[in-house]
Amino acid sequence: MKFSPLVEKLINDLQIMPGIGPKSAQRIAFYLLDHNRDGALKLGETLTEAMNNISYCPKCRSYSDGEECEICRDAGRQDSGIICVVESPADVLAIEQTGEYNGTYFVLHGHLSPIEGIGPGELGLDELARLLDTGRYHEIILATNPTVEGDTTAHYIAHMAGRRNVVATRIARGIPVGGELESIDGSTIMRSLAGRSPL
Amino acid sequence: MKFSPLVEKLINDLQIMPGIGPKSAQRIAFYLLDHNRDGALKLGETLTEAMNNISYCPKCRSYSDGEECEICRDAGRQDSGIICVVESPADVLAIEQTGEYNGTYFVLHGHLSPIEGIGPGELGLDELARLLDTGRYHEIILATNPTVEGDTTAHYIAHMAGRRNVVATRIARGIPVGGELESIDGSTIMRSLAGRSPL
Ligand SMILES: [Zn+2]
Ligand SMILES: [Zn+2]
C-alpha cells in the first residue's frame, strides 16, 4: 500500500537531510501537507534561492552572497595580522559568540581525509597559501577539531605556515570549564596535565 | 555575527518542520550547502510540486493526486460494506501493513478539538455523513486514537452512524501483544479486564 507517487517522492526527498530517516520524513511530510502548505512552499523557494545564490566569501570561505563577508570587510580585524582556521562556519559562530577574538578566519568546510577524497584543494588551501604569501599575517591559529583528522589537517597547515615564517598555534586541549574531572576521558586529562601552567 | 541574510532565511525556514529546532536547522543548512546542493534543489522542487498537487482522495480523504485512491477504486473493498475511520494517513498505512483488513477508510486528518477550532467541518464529517447516507455500509469501525480527543471524536461519529442505522464499533483497548503486565499503566489494565473474553 502506497499513497500517490508524489507523496512517496516527498517522503523520499526529505531524507537527504542529515538526521531525517523514513519515520521522521513521513511525519514531516504529513504535517506539512495537513497543516502548513504555505510554509512548505516558502521553504521550497528558499531552498532553491539559497542553493543557487549562497557562495563562499572569496577571502575566508565563510558563507556569503558573493561579496566579501562582514568580518573580512572590517579593516580593524584585517589589521590584526591573525587568521584563525576552522573546519566549519558553525565554528566561526561559536568563536564569535565569545566576543574575545578580533582577527579574521579561514573556513575549510571539512578536514583532510584521503579516504573520502578530500585533499588540500577541496579545503581551499591554495587560497590560504596565497593569503599567507601576502605577508600580512604574523600568526595563524589552528582551531580545527581535536580529532585525528583535525590534528592531521592542523599539522599540514602548520607546515605551510612555517615555510612562510608565520607562527602557527593550536587551540588548547584540556578540561572543559565547569567539567568534572571524574567524568572526563583519560586522553583529555593527559592533555590537560601536559598543558599545565603556573598559578 | 551573522552570515548572509539568505543563510539566516534558510535556517529560519527549515524550522517550519516539526522536530527541527534552531540547532538542527543550522546543521541541515550547512550540510546541504557544503555537501548536497543538487539534492536540496530537487527537494525544493518536490516541495513545490507536492504542496500544489497532492490533494485528498474525494472519497476517503487519504492523500491522492486528485483521483480516487487505490483502495477506493478496489471494488472488492467497496463491496465489503465496512468503513474504518482513522485520524491520520499514517494510521491507514499501519492497518494496511497487517494485511487483515479488507474494507475502506475515512481519514479525518485530526480529531475534534474545540480549543484549536477543529470541528466536524474540518474533519470532513459532512462527507462522511453523505457516504453513510448511501446505505452501502453496515459497519463503521472507529479507529481514532485511544486518547480523550480520539474517544470524543469516536462517540460523535458513533452517534452520526446510529441515526443512519449503521453499526459503530470501536477498536479494542488492552494489553499490547508482547507487553508485560507489570509495565502497563493502570487504565490500560482496567480496560483489558473489562474487555475480557472467554478462553
Ligand atoms: Zn570573509
Ligand atoms: Zn480513497
Side-chain angles (χ1 to χ4, degrees):
Chain A
M1 160 66 195
K2 292 189 171 186
F3 294 111
S4 81
L6 200 42
V7 176
E8 298 301 315
K9 191 178 167 196
L10 176 59
I11 293 173
N12 233 40
D13 284 7
L14 284 167
Q15 295 176 52
I16 62 160
M17 299 186 285
I20 306 296
K23 277 272 166 196
S24 321
Q26 182 183 291
R27 197 163 45 89
I28 291 170
F30 291 1
Y31 173 83
L32 295 177
L33 285 167
D34 283 349
H35 303 297
N36 198 356
R37 292 199 183 209
D38 288 348
L41 285 169
K42 265 184 56 189
L43 173 58
E45 277 173 42
T46 300
L47 278 167
T48 309
E49 197 189 351
M51 297 305 139
N52 285 329
N53 294 299
I54 295 170
S55 55
Y56 293 167
C57 166
K59 210 164 214 163
C60 73
R61 303 201 346 141
S62 270
Y63 297 125
S64 83
D65 299 353
E67 306 287 301
E68 270 187 27
C69 74
E70 206 179 301
I71 293 176
C72 288
R73 277 184 281 123
D74 182 328
R77 300 189 71 145
Q78 289 291 347
D79 290 347
S80 69
I82 305 179
I83 188 166
C84 176
V85 178
V86 294
E87 292 190 25
S88 145
D91 303 328
V92 174
L93 289 183
I95 295 174
E96 285 299 292
Q97 264 160 21
T98 68
E100 293 293 316
Y101 178 66
N102 199 36
T104 57
Y105 294 94
F106 190 85
V107 183
L108 302 173
H109 295 275
H111 46 237
L112 290 176
S113 173
I115 304 163
E116 299 171 81
I118 302 174
E122 281 71 27
L123 303 181
L125 296 190
D126 309 345
E127 298 164 48
L128 180 59
R130 275 195 293 277
L131 282 179
L132 297 182
D133 282 336
T134 60
R136 288 170 47 193
Y137 302 97
H138 62 266
E139 180 178 357
I140 183 166
I141 302 176
L142 301 165
T144 51
N145 289 331
T147 58
V148 174
E149 295 86 356
D151 282 342
T152 306
T153 310
H155 279 111
Y156 186 96
I157 298 173
H159 189 69
M160 281 172 53
R163 275 180 286 146
R164 289 163 177 87
N165 293 315
V166 176
V167 176
T169 56
R170 183 88 171 100
I171 48 169
R173 254 86 58 99
I175 310 297
V177 177
E180 291 184 322
L181 216 65
E182 65 175 29
S183 61
I184 306 288
D185 66 293
S187 56
T188 300
I189 292 181
M190 274 168 57
R191 281 283 182 169
S192 168
L193 284 171
R196 68 192 180 278
S197 58
L199 253 190
Chain B
M1 162 66 196
K2 291 187 171 186
F3 294 112
S4 81
L6 200 42
V7 177
E8 299 300 316
K9 192 177 167 198
L10 176 59
I11 294 173
N12 233 41
D13 285 7
L14 284 167
Q15 294 176 53
I16 62 159
M17 298 186 286
I20 306 296
K23 277 272 167 198
S24 321
Q26 182 183 291
R27 195 162 46 89
I28 291 170
F30 291 1
Y31 172 84
L32 296 177
L33 285 167
D34 282 349
H35 303 297
N36 198 355
R37 292 200 183 208
D38 287 349
L41 284 168
K42 265 185 56 188
L43 174 58
E45 276 173 41
T46 300
L47 277 168
T48 308
E49 196 189 352
M51 297 305 139
N52 285 329
N53 294 300
I54 294 170
S55 55
Y56 292 166
C57 165
K59 210 164 213 162
C60 74
R61 304 202 344 142
S62 271
Y63 296 125
S64 84
D65 298 351
E67 307 286 301
E68 271 187 26
C69 74
E70 206 179 302
I71 294 176
C72 287
R73 278 183 280 124
D74 182 328
R77 300 188 73 143
Q78 288 293 345
D79 291 346
S80 70
I82 306 178
I83 187 166
C84 176
V85 178
V86 294
E87 293 189 25
S88 145
D91 303 328
V92 174
L93 290 184
I95 295 175
E96 284 299 292
Q97 265 160 21
T98 68
E100 292 293 316
Y101 178 65
N102 198 36
T104 57
Y105 293 94
F106 190 84
V107 183
L108 302 173
H109 294 276
H111 46 238
L112 290 175
S113 172
I115 304 163
E116 300 171 80
I118 302 173
E122 281 71 27
L123 304 181
L125 296 190
D126 308 346
E127 299 164 47
L128 180 60
R130 275 195 292 278
L131 282 179
L132 297 182
D133 282 336
T134 61
R136 288 170 45 194
Y137 301 97
H138 62 267
E139 180 180 356
I140 183 166
I141 301 176
L142 301 165
T144 51
N145 290 330
T147 59
V148 174
E149 295 86 357
D151 282 342
T152 306
T153 309
H155 279 112
Y156 186 96
I157 298 173
H159 189 70
M160 280 172 54
R163 274 181 286 145
R164 289 163 176 88
N165 294 313
V166 175
V167 176
T169 56
R170 183 88 170 99
I171 48 169
R173 252 86 58 99
I175 310 299
V177 177
E180 289 184 324
L181 216 64
E182 66 175 28
S183 62
I184 306 289
D185 66 293
S187 57
T188 300
I189 292 181
M190 274 168 55
R191 281 283 183 170
S192 169
L193 285 171
R196 68 193 181 278
S197 58
L199 253 188

